[in-house]
Amino acid sequence: MSVQNKKVKKGLSKSLFIKGLQCHKCLYLNKYSPELKDEITPQKLAMFASGTEVGLLAQQLFPGGIEVSYEGLSYAEQLGKTKYLIKKETKNIYEATFSHEGIFIKMDILHKGNDGWEIYEVKSSTEVKDVYYDDVALQYYVLSGCGLNISKAFLVHINNEYVRQGDIDVDQLFFIEDLTGEVIEKQNFVASEVLKMKEMLGTGEPVIDIGEHCSDPYDCEFIGHCWKHIPENSVFDFRGRGLNKFDLYRSGIVLMKDVPVDLLSPDQLMQLDGYLKKKNFFNEDAVREFLEELWYPISFFDFETSYMVPVPIFDGVRPYQQVPFQYSLHVQQKENGELKHFEYLARAGKDPRRELIEKLLNDLPKKSCVLAYNMSFEIGILNDLKSGFPEYEEKIDNIIANMRDLMIPFRSKAIYYWQMEGSYSLKKVLPALVPELNYEGMEVSDGAMASDSWLKMITMEDTQEIEKARKALLEYCGLDTLAMVKILKKIKEYFI
Ligand code: SF4
């Protein structure tokens, strides 16, 4: 539908302005065709929820403020309430609401300082990103346009070195950075971008092709819509670095098979060859070298961890530190020997880490080779556990010293099956080597779902629901380590 047939909607908000800076088409689709957006993932929902939590905590930096809530108030009432609070020189206003030149904004915190009003924008990140300057600059633009005397503009963000002990200490959790100079410098830029966006919204859907802007600075929510003309096995499916995929696309090369081979790295050539000829590749010497590094008993091991959340959920935890809540361990004492399965899954109500590490130390046979898939992840978690529980430092160090990585032969391309499509993730390796074992139809089928499921499970009250969620989590994590058992068996069958 052309914009002529639609009611022209030139109004902007802070988030629409940021989307418009990334891509005019994204702004346009948000206004006129929001139904084309991709489905929101559980990770995104979790991110929104943690953003809200961070915003509320940051309000404690300016206690006693009055909120201009969305709920129960029309836009006009929110504007009216803000005006009233400003007139009364209210010291701290949360979610203050302004409108200027058709731009409607809600601000995190507005503080009345000695020299004028101060803007505080709150972000969950651990650093000041470029896009935040634009965000705060728009707020400055609107507030100045409304006639407010703005003395300072700040960004409040997470201090990733903070370690929780007891209640959250907001003075330690947050850093406050002064962006006033940069934000003032951006005022002409903001004015001209606002003008361009409004003109565009009044004309019609802009013709903008896909490009680097689709994921910079944010993953666009219209990828499914704008990218649907890209076929399977396109240049974008090449793994690894060094290939400018958008340059190729812009020059008319869309399919993998059409990419000049001299542009490809050895791994990408292998991917292409594998795809075109359904061919597998093996470096037998390298695989044997890898196998010689292993010894029995072998403990196939995998952690599941919580999302990286900005507000630490337990004492002794930093922002964005992943907390392990589950592990699966398949132990084989000797070649082709019986498999013993051990597992742990935290229950609600307390920090699971001590219980988890103590059970793990008990379950792991002494001097066992500990095999993980992408062991740097498991080592990172073990190192965190070591800092949290120094009394187990030596034992944890022993586990780390005995760790080997089943990913190595796949990452190094010593073993490459064409079905892996250039990837060496377990989710691609398993169906290629052990097609009879897969994650299809499972209620939890990846790490993000596991984290989401656990966070939901610990707030559940219905015992039947809890048991169902536990079963799904245990099945998923158990399959991860069983998959490793089967993969190693397959490798040995083939190469020994
Ligand atoms: S997917 Fe890319 S081209 Fe489409 S709206 Fe988003 S940023 Fe623009």
Side-chain angles (χ1 to χ4, degrees), residues 22-48:
Q22 179 167 345
C23 170
H24 271 194
K25 186 174 172 184
C26 174
L27 165 58
Y28 185 92
L29 292 175
N30 259 287
K31 294 289 277 185
Y32 294 112
S33 305
E35 71 282 0
L36 298 176
K37 280 185 194 177
D38 298 331
E39 216 174 292
I40 299 183
T41 60
Q43 296 98 293
K44 267 246 166 85
L45 285 174
M47 224 172 75
F48 294 152

PDB file of all heavy atoms in Angstrom, residues 22-48:
ATOM      1  N   GLN A  22      19.457   4.132  11.844  1.00  0.00           N
ATOM      2  CA  GLN A  22      20.035   2.868  11.350  1.00  0.00           C
ATOM      3  C   GLN A  22      19.577   2.619   9.912  1.00  0.00           C
ATOM      4  O   GLN A  22      20.370   2.231   9.059  1.00  0.00           O
ATOM      5  CB  GLN A  22      19.603   1.707  12.253  1.00  0.00           C
ATOM      6  CG  GLN A  22      20.137   0.368  11.790  1.00  0.00           C
ATOM      7  CD  GLN A  22      19.992  -0.727  12.842  1.00  0.00           C
ATOM      8  OE1 GLN A  22      19.740  -0.455  14.012  1.00  0.00           O
ATOM      9  NE2 GLN A  22      20.154  -1.965  12.447  1.00  0.00           N
ATOM     10  N   CYS A  23      18.285   2.851   9.642  1.00  0.00           N
ATOM     11  CA  CYS A  23      17.760   2.571   8.303  1.00  0.00           C
ATOM     12  C   CYS A  23      16.375   3.222   8.173  1.00  0.00           C
ATOM     13  O   CYS A  23      15.478   2.928   8.976  1.00  0.00           O
ATOM     14  CB  CYS A  23      17.663   1.059   8.111  1.00  0.00           C
ATOM     15  SG  CYS A  23      16.794   0.537   6.638  1.00  0.00           S
ATOM     16  N   HIS A  24      16.202   4.073   7.171  1.00  0.00           N
ATOM     17  CA  HIS A  24      14.911   4.745   6.994  1.00  0.00           C
ATOM     18  C   HIS A  24      13.781   3.748   6.745  1.00  0.00           C
ATOM     19  O   HIS A  24      12.656   3.949   7.161  1.00  0.00           O
ATOM     20  CB  HIS A  24      14.992   5.741   5.828  1.00  0.00           C
ATOM     21  CG  HIS A  24      15.449   7.099   6.256  1.00  0.00           C
ATOM     22  ND1 HIS A  24      15.340   8.220   5.468  1.00  0.00           N
ATOM     23  CD2 HIS A  24      16.014   7.525   7.408  1.00  0.00           C
ATOM     24  CE1 HIS A  24      15.820   9.267   6.108  1.00  0.00           C
ATOM     25  NE2 HIS A  24      16.246   8.864   7.274  1.00  0.00           N
ATOM     26  N   LYS A  25      14.121   2.667   6.074  1.00  0.00           N
ATOM     27  CA  LYS A  25      13.082   1.684   5.776  1.00  0.00           C
ATOM     28  C   LYS A  25      12.575   1.034   7.075  1.00  0.00           C
ATOM     29  O   LYS A  25      11.378   0.752   7.220  1.00  0.00           O
ATOM     30  CB  LYS A  25      13.660   0.609   4.840  1.00  0.00           C
ATOM     31  CG  LYS A  25      12.642  -0.385   4.344  1.00  0.00           C
ATOM     32  CD  LYS A  25      13.301  -1.296   3.321  1.00  0.00           C
ATOM     33  CE  LYS A  25      12.417  -2.434   2.906  1.00  0.00           C
ATOM     34  NZ  LYS A  25      13.114  -3.350   2.003  1.00  0.00           N
ATOM     35  N   CYS A  26      13.481   0.816   8.010  1.00  0.00           N
ATOM     36  CA  CYS A  26      13.109   0.235   9.302  1.00  0.00           C
ATOM     37  C   CYS A  26      12.125   1.169  10.019  1.00  0.00           C
ATOM     38  O   CYS A  26      11.113   0.730  10.575  1.00  0.00           O
ATOM     39  CB  CYS A  26      14.358  -0.001  10.139  1.00  0.00           C
ATOM     40  SG  CYS A  26      14.020  -0.560  11.797  1.00  0.00           S
ATOM     41  N   LEU A  27      12.416   2.452   9.975  1.00  0.00           N
ATOM     42  CA  LEU A  27      11.514   3.430  10.583  1.00  0.00           C
ATOM     43  C   LEU A  27      10.159   3.397   9.868  1.00  0.00           C
ATOM     44  O   LEU A  27       9.098   3.356  10.497  1.00  0.00           O
ATOM     45  CB  LEU A  27      12.142   4.830  10.496  1.00  0.00           C
ATOM     46  CG  LEU A  27      11.234   6.029  10.754  1.00  0.00           C
ATOM     47  CD1 LEU A  27      10.594   5.947  12.140  1.00  0.00           C
ATOM     48  CD2 LEU A  27      12.027   7.332  10.637  1.00  0.00           C
ATOM     49  N   TYR A  28      10.202   3.385   8.561  1.00  0.00           N
ATOM     50  CA  TYR A  28       8.971   3.407   7.758  1.00  0.00           C
ATOM     51  C   TYR A  28       8.121   2.159   8.069  1.00  0.00           C
ATOM     52  O   TYR A  28       6.915   2.255   8.309  1.00  0.00           O
ATOM     53  CB  TYR A  28       9.324   3.449   6.266  1.00  0.00           C
ATOM     54  CG  TYR A  28       8.110   3.588   5.379  1.00  0.00           C
ATOM     55  CD1 TYR A  28       7.656   4.849   4.972  1.00  0.00           C
ATOM     56  CD2 TYR A  28       7.396   2.465   4.959  1.00  0.00           C
ATOM     57  CE1 TYR A  28       6.526   4.976   4.184  1.00  0.00           C
ATOM     58  CE2 TYR A  28       6.266   2.589   4.174  1.00  0.00           C
ATOM     59  CZ  TYR A  28       5.840   3.838   3.780  1.00  0.00           C
ATOM     60  OH  TYR A  28       4.719   3.963   3.002  1.00  0.00           O
ATOM     61  N   LEU A  29       8.751   0.998   8.077  1.00  0.00           N
ATOM     62  CA  LEU A  29       7.993  -0.238   8.320  1.00  0.00           C
ATOM     63  C   LEU A  29       7.430  -0.259   9.746  1.00  0.00           C
ATOM     64  O   LEU A  29       6.329  -0.747   9.984  1.00  0.00           O
ATOM     65  CB  LEU A  29       8.885  -1.467   8.082  1.00  0.00           C
ATOM     66  CG  LEU A  29       9.313  -1.702   6.626  1.00  0.00           C
ATOM     67  CD1 LEU A  29      10.286  -2.884   6.535  1.00  0.00           C
ATOM     68  CD2 LEU A  29       8.105  -1.967   5.717  1.00  0.00           C
ATOM     69  N   ASN A  30       8.185   0.290  10.679  1.00  0.00           N
ATOM     70  CA  ASN A  30       7.678   0.376  12.047  1.00  0.00           C
ATOM     71  C   ASN A  30       6.397   1.204  12.112  1.00  0.00           C
ATOM     72  O   ASN A  30       5.482   0.891  12.868  1.00  0.00           O
ATOM     73  CB  ASN A  30       8.737   1.014  12.955  1.00  0.00           C
ATOM     74  CG  ASN A  30       9.474  -0.025  13.766  1.00  0.00           C
ATOM     75  OD1 ASN A  30       8.928  -0.591  14.702  1.00  0.00           O
ATOM     76  ND2 ASN A  30      10.704  -0.301  13.377  1.00  0.00           N
ATOM     77  N   LYS A  31       6.373   2.263  11.309  1.00  0.00           N
ATOM     78  CA  LYS A  31       5.198   3.145  11.343  1.00  0.00           C
ATOM     79  C   LYS A  31       4.011   2.548  10.595  1.00  0.00           C
ATOM     80  O   LYS A  31       2.885   2.639  11.038  1.00  0.00           O
ATOM     81  CB  LYS A  31       5.538   4.497  10.686  1.00  0.00           C
ATOM     82  CG  LYS A  31       6.564   5.318  11.410  1.00  0.00           C
ATOM     83  CD  LYS A  31       6.049   5.899  12.688  1.00  0.00           C
ATOM     84  CE  LYS A  31       5.285   7.182  12.514  1.00  0.00           C
ATOM     85  NZ  LYS A  31       4.912   7.776  13.794  1.00  0.00           N
ATOM     86  N   TYR A  32       4.289   1.984   9.413  1.00  0.00           N
ATOM     87  CA  TYR A  32       3.176   1.605   8.537  1.00  0.00           C
ATOM     88  C   TYR A  32       2.914   0.100   8.449  1.00  0.00           C
ATOM     89  O   TYR A  32       1.806  -0.288   8.092  1.00  0.00           O
ATOM     90  CB  TYR A  32       3.421   2.147   7.117  1.00  0.00           C
ATOM     91  CG  TYR A  32       3.398   3.657   7.055  1.00  0.00           C
ATOM     92  CD1 TYR A  32       4.559   4.378   6.787  1.00  0.00           C
ATOM     93  CD2 TYR A  32       2.223   4.375   7.268  1.00  0.00           C
ATOM     94  CE1 TYR A  32       4.544   5.761   6.735  1.00  0.00           C
ATOM     95  CE2 TYR A  32       2.208   5.760   7.214  1.00  0.00           C
ATOM     96  CZ  TYR A  32       3.376   6.451   6.947  1.00  0.00           C
ATOM     97  OH  TYR A  32       3.350   7.818   6.902  1.00  0.00           O
ATOM     98  N   SER A  33       3.906  -0.709   8.709  1.00  0.00           N
ATOM     99  CA  SER A  33       3.701  -2.169   8.583  1.00  0.00           C
ATOM    100  C   SER A  33       4.350  -2.931   9.737  1.00  0.00           C
ATOM    101  O   SER A  33       5.158  -3.853   9.529  1.00  0.00           O
ATOM    102  CB  SER A  33       4.299  -2.674   7.260  1.00  0.00           C
ATOM    103  OG  SER A  33       3.784  -1.961   6.173  1.00  0.00           O
ATOM    104  N   PRO A  34       4.009  -2.591  10.970  1.00  0.00           N
ATOM    105  CA  PRO A  34       4.673  -3.271  12.108  1.00  0.00           C
ATOM    106  C   PRO A  34       4.389  -4.767  12.141  1.00  0.00           C
ATOM    107  O   PRO A  34       5.130  -5.526  12.763  1.00  0.00           O
ATOM    108  CB  PRO A  34       4.079  -2.563  13.335  1.00  0.00           C
ATOM    109  CG  PRO A  34       2.820  -1.921  12.865  1.00  0.00           C
ATOM    110  CD  PRO A  34       2.999  -1.604  11.408  1.00  0.00           C
ATOM    111  N   GLU A  35       3.338  -5.192  11.457  1.00  0.00           N
ATOM    112  CA  GLU A  35       3.002  -6.633  11.463  1.00  0.00           C
ATOM    113  C   GLU A  35       4.074  -7.457  10.745  1.00  0.00           C
ATOM    114  O   GLU A  35       4.099  -8.684  10.856  1.00  0.00           O
ATOM    115  CB  GLU A  35       1.612  -6.861  10.822  1.00  0.00           C
ATOM    116  CG  GLU A  35       1.509  -6.660   9.311  1.00  0.00           C
ATOM    117  CD  GLU A  35       1.441  -5.188   8.872  1.00  0.00           C
ATOM    118  OE1 GLU A  35       1.466  -4.297   9.752  1.00  0.00           O
ATOM    119  OE2 GLU A  35       1.379  -4.934   7.657  1.00  0.00           O
ATOM    120  N   LEU A  36       4.978  -6.797  10.026  1.00  0.00           N
ATOM    121  CA  LEU A  36       6.030  -7.536   9.304  1.00  0.00           C
ATOM    122  C   LEU A  36       7.256  -7.840  10.185  1.00  0.00           C
ATOM    123  O   LEU A  36       8.214  -8.446   9.730  1.00  0.00           O
ATOM    124  CB  LEU A  36       6.486  -6.745   8.070  1.00  0.00           C
ATOM    125  CG  LEU A  36       5.415  -6.494   6.996  1.00  0.00           C
ATOM    126  CD1 LEU A  36       5.980  -5.621   5.883  1.00  0.00           C
ATOM    127  CD2 LEU A  36       4.936  -7.820   6.415  1.00  0.00           C
ATOM    128  N   LYS A  37       7.179  -7.383  11.413  1.00  0.00           N
ATOM    129  CA  LYS A  37       8.343  -7.605  12.305  1.00  0.00           C
ATOM    130  C   LYS A  37       8.567  -9.085  12.562  1.00  0.00           C
ATOM    131  O   LYS A  37       7.616  -9.857  12.594  1.00  0.00           O
ATOM    132  CB  LYS A  37       8.076  -6.951  13.673  1.00  0.00           C
ATOM    133  CG  LYS A  37       8.325  -5.476  13.699  1.00  0.00           C
ATOM    134  CD  LYS A  37       8.144  -4.975  15.107  1.00  0.00           C
ATOM    135  CE  LYS A  37       8.040  -3.464  15.093  1.00  0.00           C
ATOM    136  NZ  LYS A  37       7.790  -2.897  16.405  1.00  0.00           N
ATOM    137  N   ASP A  38       9.823  -9.447  12.820  1.00  0.00           N
ATOM    138  CA  ASP A  38      10.138 -10.828  13.201  1.00  0.00           C
ATOM    139  C   ASP A  38       9.564 -11.110  14.587  1.00  0.00           C
ATOM    140  O   ASP A  38       9.371 -10.182  15.383  1.00  0.00           O
ATOM    141  CB  ASP A  38      11.664 -11.040  13.241  1.00  0.00           C
ATOM    142  CG  ASP A  38      12.296 -10.808  11.881  1.00  0.00           C
ATOM    143  OD1 ASP A  38      11.601 -11.033  10.876  1.00  0.00           O
ATOM    144  OD2 ASP A  38      13.468 -10.385  11.835  1.00  0.00           O
ATOM    145  N   GLU A  39       9.372 -12.385  14.838  1.00  0.00           N
ATOM    146  CA  GLU A  39       8.874 -12.769  16.160  1.00  0.00           C
ATOM    147  C   GLU A  39       9.918 -12.429  17.226  1.00  0.00           C
ATOM    148  O   GLU A  39      11.126 -12.586  16.976  1.00  0.00           O
ATOM    149  CB  GLU A  39       8.645 -14.279  16.156  1.00  0.00           C
ATOM    150  CG  GLU A  39       7.452 -14.701  16.970  1.00  0.00           C
ATOM    151  CD  GLU A  39       7.205 -16.179  16.793  1.00  0.00           C
ATOM    152  OE1 GLU A  39       6.817 -16.579  15.670  1.00  0.00           O
ATOM    153  OE2 GLU A  39       7.427 -16.895  17.773  1.00  0.00           O
ATOM    154  N   ILE A  40       9.458 -11.998  18.371  1.00  0.00           N
ATOM    155  CA  ILE A  40      10.427 -11.667  19.438  1.00  0.00           C
ATOM    156  C   ILE A  40      10.893 -12.957  20.111  1.00  0.00           C
ATOM    157  O   ILE A  40      10.086 -13.784  20.504  1.00  0.00           O
ATOM    158  CB  ILE A  40       9.799 -10.727  20.488  1.00  0.00           C
ATOM    159  CG1 ILE A  40       9.381  -9.427  19.804  1.00  0.00           C
ATOM    160  CG2 ILE A  40      10.757 -10.443  21.615  1.00  0.00           C
ATOM    161  CD1 ILE A  40       8.821  -8.387  20.743  1.00  0.00           C
ATOM    162  N   THR A  41      12.207 -13.106  20.221  1.00  0.00           N
ATOM    163  CA  THR A  41      12.757 -14.335  20.816  1.00  0.00           C
ATOM    164  C   THR A  41      12.697 -14.244  22.349  1.00  0.00           C
ATOM    165  O   THR A  41      12.658 -13.143  22.906  1.00  0.00           O
ATOM    166  CB  THR A  41      14.235 -14.508  20.414  1.00  0.00           C
ATOM    167  OG1 THR A  41      14.952 -13.361  20.902  1.00  0.00           O
ATOM    168  CG2 THR A  41      14.401 -14.608  18.913  1.00  0.00           C
ATOM    169  N   PRO A  42      12.728 -15.395  23.023  1.00  0.00           N
ATOM    170  CA  PRO A  42      12.747 -15.368  24.497  1.00  0.00           C
ATOM    171  C   PRO A  42      13.956 -14.586  25.028  1.00  0.00           C
ATOM    172  O   PRO A  42      13.861 -13.905  26.041  1.00  0.00           O
ATOM    173  CB  PRO A  42      12.853 -16.844  24.890  1.00  0.00           C
ATOM    174  CG  PRO A  42      12.405 -17.612  23.705  1.00  0.00           C
ATOM    175  CD  PRO A  42      12.674 -16.769  22.501  1.00  0.00           C
ATOM    176  N   GLN A  43      15.093 -14.655  24.287  1.00  0.00           N
ATOM    177  CA  GLN A  43      16.277 -13.900  24.739  1.00  0.00           C
ATOM    178  C   GLN A  43      16.004 -12.400  24.716  1.00  0.00           C
ATOM    179  O   GLN A  43      16.389 -11.672  25.615  1.00  0.00           O
ATOM    180  CB  GLN A  43      17.509 -14.146  23.860  1.00  0.00           C
ATOM    181  CG  GLN A  43      18.030 -15.545  23.879  1.00  0.00           C
ATOM    182  CD  GLN A  43      17.525 -16.331  22.699  1.00  0.00           C
ATOM    183  OE1 GLN A  43      16.343 -16.603  22.596  1.00  0.00           O
ATOM    184  NE2 GLN A  43      18.418 -16.705  21.805  1.00  0.00           N
ATOM    185  N   LYS A  44      15.316 -11.957  23.662  1.00  0.00           N
ATOM    186  CA  LYS A  44      14.991 -10.523  23.557  1.00  0.00           C
ATOM    187  C   LYS A  44      14.050 -10.120  24.692  1.00  0.00           C
ATOM    188  O   LYS A  44      14.229  -9.066  25.311  1.00  0.00           O
ATOM    189  CB  LYS A  44      14.311 -10.259  22.208  1.00  0.00           C
ATOM    190  CG  LYS A  44      15.255  -9.839  21.115  1.00  0.00           C
ATOM    191  CD  LYS A  44      14.958  -8.382  20.697  1.00  0.00           C
ATOM    192  CE  LYS A  44      16.066  -7.817  19.859  1.00  0.00           C
ATOM    193  NZ  LYS A  44      15.943  -8.145  18.460  1.00  0.00           N
ATOM    194  N   LEU A  45      13.063 -10.981  24.952  1.00  0.00           N
ATOM    195  CA  LEU A  45      12.104 -10.661  26.023  1.00  0.00           C
ATOM    196  C   LEU A  45      12.842 -10.565  27.358  1.00  0.00           C
ATOM    197  O   LEU A  45      12.585  -9.677  28.157  1.00  0.00           O
ATOM    198  CB  LEU A  45      11.014 -11.733  26.101  1.00  0.00           C
ATOM    199  CG  LEU A  45       9.963 -11.676  24.986  1.00  0.00           C
ATOM    200  CD1 LEU A  45       9.028 -12.874  25.085  1.00  0.00           C
ATOM    201  CD2 LEU A  45       9.148 -10.379  25.059  1.00  0.00           C
ATOM    202  N   ALA A  46      13.787 -11.509  27.549  1.00  0.00           N
ATOM    203  CA  ALA A  46      14.558 -11.494  28.799  1.00  0.00           C
ATOM    204  C   ALA A  46      15.391 -10.213  28.879  1.00  0.00           C
ATOM    205  O   ALA A  46      15.558  -9.614  29.942  1.00  0.00           O
ATOM    206  CB  ALA A  46      15.453 -12.720  28.877  1.00  0.00           C
ATOM    207  N   MET A  47      15.894  -9.779  27.714  1.00  0.00           N
ATOM    208  CA  MET A  47      16.700  -8.547  27.680  1.00  0.00           C
ATOM    209  C   MET A  47      15.838  -7.329  28.044  1.00  0.00           C
ATOM    210  O   MET A  47      16.250  -6.462  28.797  1.00  0.00           O
ATOM    211  CB  MET A  47      17.243  -8.367  26.268  1.00  0.00           C
ATOM    212  CG  MET A  47      18.683  -7.963  26.205  1.00  0.00           C
ATOM    213  SD  MET A  47      19.190  -8.026  24.489  1.00  0.00           S
ATOM    214  CE  MET A  47      18.429  -6.565  23.838  1.00  0.00           C
ATOM    215  N   PHE A  48      14.609  -7.302  27.506  1.00  0.00           N
ATOM    216  CA  PHE A  48      13.707  -6.192  27.837  1.00  0.00           C
ATOM    217  C   PHE A  48      13.423  -6.169  29.339  1.00  0.00           C
ATOM    218  O   PHE A  48      13.428  -5.121  29.975  1.00  0.00           O
ATOM    219  CB  PHE A  48      12.367  -6.317  27.093  1.00  0.00           C
ATOM    220  CG  PHE A  48      12.482  -6.164  25.585  1.00  0.00           C
ATOM    221  CD1 PHE A  48      11.570  -6.790  24.739  1.00  0.00           C
ATOM    222  CD2 PHE A  48      13.486  -5.394  25.021  1.00  0.00           C
ATOM    223  CE1 PHE A  48      11.672  -6.664  23.359  1.00  0.00           C
ATOM    224  CE2 PHE A  48      13.597  -5.270  23.638  1.00  0.00           C
ATOM    225  CZ  PHE A  48      12.690  -5.900  22.808  1.00  0.00           C
TER     226      PHE A  48
END
